[in-house]
Amino acid sequence: MTHKPTYIIGTHSGHDASACLLKDNELLYAITKERLTRKKHDSGEPTECINYLLDAAQLKKEEIDLVIRTNWFDSTELNDKYYENFPKVISSRRHHEFHAWNTTTVLKDTPTLILITDGRGCRPEDLEDDSNIIPTDSHLQQFEVESVYLYDGEKMSCLEKRWGTYEKNKYSWGSHIVSLGYAYAAVSKTIFGSSNAAGKVMALAALGAKNHTIPSPLIYHEDFFEINEEWLHFIEAQSKPIQWDSATAKDLAFSIQKALEEYLTFRVKQLIEKYGVRSISLGGGVALNCKANGLLAKLDGVQNVSVFNASGDDGLSLGAAIWAKHVLYKNKETLQWNVGTGRSYTIEESGTSLGIHFGEVIAKLLVENKLVGLFNGGSEFGPRALGNRSILASPLDANMKDYLNQEVKERETFRPFGCAILKKDLESVTDDPLASIHMLSAFHIKEHWKEKYPAILHVDDTTRIQVIEDETSPFGKILAAFTAQTGCPFLINTSFNGRGEPIVETVEDATRCAENIGLDYVVIEKELMKVSKV
């Protein structure tokens, strides 16, 4: 008897809206709305994403077994009519639980404790069946702000949940709730004018220092957590925006980054001792903090740490779909997936076909200090470019970081770049236990590498490394050839996009972007094209 596959679509309609498509136990495609609309962090019903999924898989709405929608309770951007032709559609707002479910794609061991930290999740009334963790003062406008789950390979159990009261427009920079995400966003908004600049704050923190005029941001012990009102009042008293190159901005960024690292260290140690489980997974937007992740991975008592590459709200669509697969369809197998979750594109041959010498040719261009855009297979899911939509550059030139920041990305000069390394070379470079294909930890490399290649380092001497496991992949071939030609095991890898735009999705996006930002070459599915400069 022929097996009829089960198709599940998961959607998320808040900021960083997205959708994904599962076929039984396989993630076929996942895409964020911003990649298609070209509007960063785009929100609203992800109809463009769903159409993209259906077209890529050559499916009709009627062939989808289930659509699970996740959205905010007060969303004004929904389009219920769009879903009328799907056979079955359900909605759920299990925000933190869906964050937890998407971490199951990267777990290194079970049982695992899953710590979810972000700005805010769902309300008590959205939890549906978790009545044992409803706050006693639920008459207030409360939202989940931190959750702890235990996943044993089959069952997801909520162990702890902390709630915060939401206060709309309380401060000059906006609304407030007692959460790590909102504390970090207060600094992000105050310096950079946006809650989406957390990565900038993390990088800027390395330029700051302990400033005794800035109060400690967080107060916590055992079961107590609070954002220090004196710290909030300090921020409120500043003229805004605080210029990022001022001492105040740098020290303020340092204060929140240091506090976040110390709190997460305290919390992880506390959870390991309390529950006796040494495997940790991190989820929610705070899990994108690479510096904290790198520190947690090296804590005494921690066996391993895992982080999913779309741990922010873009990953909620996948978490919802996995929940449905596991809970509703009783399919408890671990999801099969790869980093290229987007669709592939075909092109007319208009460049030089590189054939078997693909890696050597591109490596030689990089040695000559050429900038190369790499467009290969499906796009990555999440904020990291991992070789499918990447800009590659040589770290041999010590000034490459400054050049990329100023001339190509047109962004703040303090911001660092990640790099890639072959798995076989990793041990000679670092002992970081979280180094992986996902580029989600920042850590120190061995001293002689720091001296040779300063372009891959941040000002605090840390770097973010992507580990390339497959040397036969296009990126693997380029990196292997570059290492063979130069003796340098690193390549700078940054996202294929210009200032203020999402990472490129289509061939047209790639060629247009390459021209606008001044790349020298772009490789599209092994076709090498010289870029016409604008």
Side-chain angles (χ1 to χ4, degrees):
M1 184 176 177
T2 303
H3 168 71
K4 180 185 179 301
T6 299
Y7 291 103
I8 300 172
I9 286 178
T11 76
H12 163 61
S13 63
H15 67 81
D16 297 290
S18 64
C20 71
L21 173 62
L22 307 190
K23 177 184 178 182
D24 290 336
N25 203 45
E26 179 185 3
L27 172 60
L28 293 183
Y29 302 102
I31 187 75
T32 50
K33 187 175 181 179
E34 68 166 25
R35 301 290 181 95
L36 305 177
T37 63
R38 311 307 300 156
K39 179 182 176 183
K40 289 199 78 170
H41 306 291
D42 203 2
S43 62
E45 200 71 74
T47 54
E48 298 92 342
C49 299
I50 300 171
N51 292 338
Y52 170 102
L53 300 175
L54 294 173
D55 184 58
Q58 297 186 319
L59 293 170
K60 298 180 176 63
K61 290 182 177 180
E62 293 78 10
E63 296 177 89
I64 303 301
D65 294 274
L66 175 70
V67 177
I68 177 166
R69 301 168 66 188
T70 178
N71 52 266
W72 286 102
F73 75 99
D74 58 353
S75 178
T76 59
E77 302 177 289
L78 302 183
N79 181 359
D80 295 336
K81 187 174 178 59
Y82 173 83
Y83 294 93
E84 289 179 352
N85 291 328
F86 287 99
K88 185 177 181 181
V89 181
I90 64 173
S91 295
S92 181
R93 300 189 183 114
R94 302 165 177 265
H95 193 100
H96 278 192
E97 186 175 353
F98 290 160
H99 275 314
W101 277 107
N102 76 32
T103 73
T104 63
T105 60
V106 292
L107 297 187
K108 299 173 183 176
D109 196 10
T110 55
T112 294
L113 288 171
I114 303 172
L115 175 61
I116 306 300
T117 50
D118 59 6
R120 61 180 173 131
C122 67
R123 305 169 302 166
E125 54 264 47
D126 297 326
L127 288 177
E128 299 170 27
D129 58 6
D130 290 326
S131 56
N132 60 313
I133 47 176
I134 298 297
T136 56
D137 51 355
S138 55
H139 63 284
L140 301 173
Q141 190 176 19
Q142 299 234 307
F143 294 85
E144 54 186 358
V145 293
E146 180 183 294
S147 299
V148 180
Y149 295 87
L150 178 69
Y151 183 66
D152 64 4
E154 291 193 2
K155 183 181 178 182
M156 183 77 70
S157 303
C158 185
L159 303 179
E160 301 180 20
K161 193 174 291 287
R162 189 162 54 77
W163 301 90
T165 301
Y166 183 69
E167 299 173 275
K168 191 171 181 63
N169 297 324
K170 182 177 182 180
Y171 294 104
S172 58
W173 61 83
S175 302
H176 177 69
I177 194 169
V178 177
S179 72
L180 275 182
Y182 266 66
Y184 216 89
V187 178
S188 177
K189 291 178 180 179
T190 299
I191 300 174
F192 298 107
S194 170
S195 59
N196 294 317
K200 296 183 184 183
V201 175
M202 180 177 65
L204 183 62
L207 280 69
K210 175 70 175 178
N211 184 332
H212 293 287
T213 68
I214 300 177
S216 298
L218 306 178
I219 302 171
Y220 54 88
H221 55 80
E222 296 184 8
D223 297 326
F224 179 83
F225 178 91
E226 187 63 76
I227 300 175
N228 188 354
E229 288 194 6
E230 291 183 4
W231 181 74
L232 293 168
H233 293 157
F234 174 86
I235 299 175
E236 187 76 302
Q238 305 303 308
S239 298
K240 301 175 186 64
I242 306 174
Q243 296 303 307
W244 72 259
D245 55 356
S246 68
T248 299
K250 295 172 185 176
D251 293 348
L252 183 60
F254 175 87
S255 78
I256 188 58
Q257 177 64 28
K258 184 70 172 175
L260 179 141
E261 292 170 10
E262 291 176 346
Y263 171 73
L264 288 176
T265 297
F266 161 81
R267 192 70 172 110
V268 167
K269 286 181 175 179
Q270 183 187 50
L271 292 172
I272 288 174
E273 182 177 350
K274 183 175 181 178
Y275 295 106
V277 176
R278 298 172 58 206
S279 293
I280 301 292
S281 190
L282 306 172
V286 174
L288 292 172
N289 193 295
C290 298
K291 184 73 185 303
N293 294 346
L295 293 173
L296 294 176
K298 301 194 77 171
L299 277 183
D300 288 341
V302 172
Q303 183 172 304
N304 57 65
V305 171
S306 55
V307 186
F308 180 58
N309 46 295
S311 63
D313 280 10
D314 49 353
L316 288 172
S317 59
L318 180 57
I322 296 173
W323 173 84
K325 173 185 83 73
H326 197 98
V327 176
L328 301 183
Y329 288 89
K330 310 301 181 185
N331 180 349
K332 299 186 178 183
E333 295 295 319
T334 301
L335 190 73
Q336 303 301 307
W337 68 290
N338 60 61
V339 296
T341 63
R343 64 177 303 169
S344 296
Y345 295 87
T346 57
I347 62 168
E348 295 181 7
E349 293 187 8
S350 56
T352 303
S353 182
L354 299 177
I356 61 173
H357 301 294
F358 172 82
E360 289 82 357
V361 173
I362 303 304
K364 186 174 185 297
L365 292 173
L366 292 165
V367 172
E368 295 169 356
N369 250 18
K370 303 300 183 185
L371 301 181
V372 179
L374 183 59
F375 183 103
N376 172 63
S379 57
E380 304 91 338
F381 191 42
R384 299 283 180 259
L386 303 172
N388 292 24
R389 300 291 188 274
S390 290
I391 295 172
L392 306 182
S394 167
L396 300 176
D397 182 349
N399 297 315
M400 181 56 78
K401 179 171 69 173
D402 292 337
Y403 180 79
L404 287 170
N405 271 328
Q406 295 170 24
E407 303 298 329
V408 179
K409 292 286 191 167
E410 297 181 336
R411 66 187 197 181
E412 297 85 357
T413 55
F414 66 85
R415 294 174 65 183
F417 291 94
C419 64
I421 187 172
L422 296 173
K423 186 176 182 179
K424 68 181 181 64
D425 294 324
L426 183 64
E427 190 174 337
S428 68
V429 170
T430 181
D431 59 356
D432 175 63
L434 190 50
S436 72
I437 61 173
H438 304 300
M439 199 190 279
L440 282 169
S441 64
F443 49 87
H444 291 278
I445 59 175
K446 296 178 181 178
E447 287 300 324
H448 65 284
W449 296 115
K450 294 180 183 178
E451 296 167 3
K452 283 186 175 182
Y453 307 114
I456 66 169
L457 297 177
H458 193 27
V459 294
D460 61 358
D461 280 350
T462 62
T463 190
R464 283 183 293 118
I465 284 184
Q466 175 196 4
V467 180
I468 305 299
E469 298 181 348
D470 182 6
E471 290 188 38
T472 67
S473 68
F475 196 5
K477 288 180 178 179
I478 295 169
L479 184 50
F482 183 83
T483 302
Q485 291 177 26
T486 65
C488 172
F490 309 104
L491 271 176
I492 294 174
N493 173 19
T494 187
S495 55
F496 197 158
N497 62 298
R499 179 180 176 87
E501 70 171 356
I503 297 174
V504 300
E505 168 61 24
T506 67
V507 174
E508 292 74 20
D509 294 338
T511 54
R512 181 176 60 250
C513 178
E515 292 174 357
N516 290 341
I517 66 178
L519 301 188
D520 298 295
Y521 293 88
V522 61
V523 180
I524 299 179
E525 307 296 353
K526 295 193 177 182
E527 292 278 322
L528 178 64
M529 302 179 189
K530 189 171 178 59
V531 176
S532 300
K533 301 296 178 73
V534 174

